[in-house]
Amino acid sequence: MIAVLKPATETELSDMIAAAKAPLEIIGSGTKRHLGHPVQAAATLDMSAFSGVIAYEPEELILDVGAATPLAEIERMLGQRGQQLAFEPPDWSALLGSHGNGTVGGLVACNLSGPRRLKAGAVRDHILGIHGVTGAGNVFKAGARVVKNVTGYDMPKLLTGSYGTLAALTSVILKVLPAPETEETVVLTGLDDAQAVEAMSLAMQSACEVSAAAYIPGEAVYLRLEGIAPSVAYRRDQLGKVLKRGIEVMAAKSSIAKWQAIRDGAMFAENPRHPLWRISVAPSAAPGMIRVLKDKLDIRYLFDWAGGLVWLEVPPSHDAAAVLVRSSFASGHATLIRAPEATRAAVDVFQPQAPALAALSGRVKDAFDPRHVLNPGRMYRGI
C-alpha cells in the first residue's frame, strides 16, 4: 500500500520533500492524475491542505489562492463579481473519468487553456506569482501581486506546464479580468476542412475581435463574439461582410453551451476507450494532416484555436497510433491526452524533444529537483 503524506504547512512540506528517499507523486484533487506518463511513486504527497482564498482584490483584478483550491469555487466567486479567468479553464472530468474540474494548482501545473486562448493567452500569461517547495526541499516564492520589475517573474511561467516535476505549488497569484456582458456565435455551414480554416483565418484577421474560432466536421464553423450588446451586434454584421457568405447566429445561451462543449472536448467523452490527442500545428497545416490520417485510420477530430489546435480521436491500439500521428505533420507537437495506463507507459505522451532541448530540460530538472523525487518521468523518461 502506498503511503500518503499530508503536509499542513510549507515547513512540513519542505521537511517531507527533503527527507524523501524515494519518488513522490503530487496530488491535489487527483482529477489530472491520468495526464502524462504513469508515475511509479513510493508515496503520495497530498496537497489538499493548501486550499482557500488568501486575497481577492476585484478592483485590482488580482486573486491569490492556495494551490489546492477547487477551480469551481474560484469560478463561482469570480462570477459573483462579474469577473473570470480569461484563459477559459477546461473541465476534462468527462474525458478523463474524474470527478470535478480539479484545483487551480493542477490547472497551472498542466497549463490548460480553453478556446479563448488565441485571444487572451495561455495560463502562464495570467500568472503573477507562485509559492512552493522545490524537489530539493527549498521553500520559494516568485513574482508578487504587484510586479514592479522582471526579477523572479519568469519562474511562474517556467513552472506552469511542468506537471509537478519541478516543485510542489502551495499558492498561486492570478490576474483576473471582467467577464463579457454577452456573447453571440456566428455559424457557417457547408464547409470542408480547408474552407473552414480559411474562413476562421479571415475572421481572426478582421477587426471584428473574434474571441474563439472552432470547426466541427460535418457540423459547422463557430466564431464567437463577446462584449457589450451593441458592440457584439455591430461586429456580427461586419463579420458577415468580411466572410462574404450567409451566416447563422447563435444567441447567448446556446453560444455559452456550445463553447463549453468545445472547451471540454465533450464530443470525445462518449468513447472513453479511444485514445485522444491534442495536436498543435500551423492552422494552414491542419487540413493536410487530417487528410493523411484519414487515409490510414478511422478518426474523429475537431479544430480549435482557428485550426491551430486539433483534437484527434483514434481507434484503440497498443500504441495509440503514435507513429502515424506524429509523422502526419512536419512542424508542431502532439500530446496524448487519454489512453490506458499501459499505453501511456509505453509511448511518448509528450512530443519527443530535440537533443539540445532535452539536455536543457534535464538541467532544469536537476536544478529544481536534484534527487528526482517529484513526479519523476511524468513528462519525459529519466527526468
Side-chain angles (χ1 to χ4, degrees), residues 181-205:
E181 176 188 289
T182 190
E183 69 175 66
E184 288 183 357
T185 291
V186 169
V187 182
L188 309 176
T189 57
L191 281 67
D192 62 23
D193 293 357
Q195 292 169 331
V197 170
E198 182 181 4
M200 291 189 289
S201 178
L202 280 173
M204 296 309 303
Q205 293 173 35

Side-chain angles (χ1 to χ4, degrees), residues 271-325:
N271 293 326
R273 293 181 58 253
H274 289 233
L276 182 65
W277 295 84
R278 276 175 38 119
I279 307 167
S280 293
V281 292
S284 59
M289 181 189 75
I290 290 299
R291 189 164 52 249
V292 168
L293 290 169
K294 275 183 174 179
D295 288 340
K296 300 175 181 178
L297 294 171
D298 181 14
I299 61 173
R300 291 203 307 161
Y301 59 98
L302 175 156
F303 293 173
D304 199 357
W305 301 351
L309 173 68
V310 180
W311 290 79
L312 175 70
E313 182 185 273
V314 299
S317 67
H318 70 284
D319 65 349
V323 173
L324 282 176
V325 169

Side-chain angles (χ1 to χ4, degrees), residues 23-24 26 134-136 158 162-167 358-380 382-383:
L24 303 172
I26 302 172
T134 70
L158 174 67
S162 63
Y163 282 75
T165 61
L166 303 179
L360 176 60
S361 296
R363 292 195 296 272
V364 171
K365 175 68 170 177
D366 290 342
F368 278 85
D369 182 16
R371 295 172 298 133
H372 290 206
V373 295
L374 298 182
N375 284 0
R378 186 168 184 189
M379 294 190 74
Y380 299 103
I383 60 171

Side-chain angles (χ1 to χ4, degrees), residues 165-177:
T165 61
L166 303 179
L169 305 184
T170 56
S171 67
V172 179
I173 305 171
L174 291 164
K175 173 176 63 178
V176 300
L177 290 174

Side-chain angles (χ1 to χ4, degrees), residues 83-101:
Q83 296 182 341
Q84 65 177 0
L85 297 172
F87 51 86
E88 205 165 1
D91 178 356
W92 287 356
S93 54
L95 280 182
L96 302 177
S98 59
H99 299 287
N101 60 344

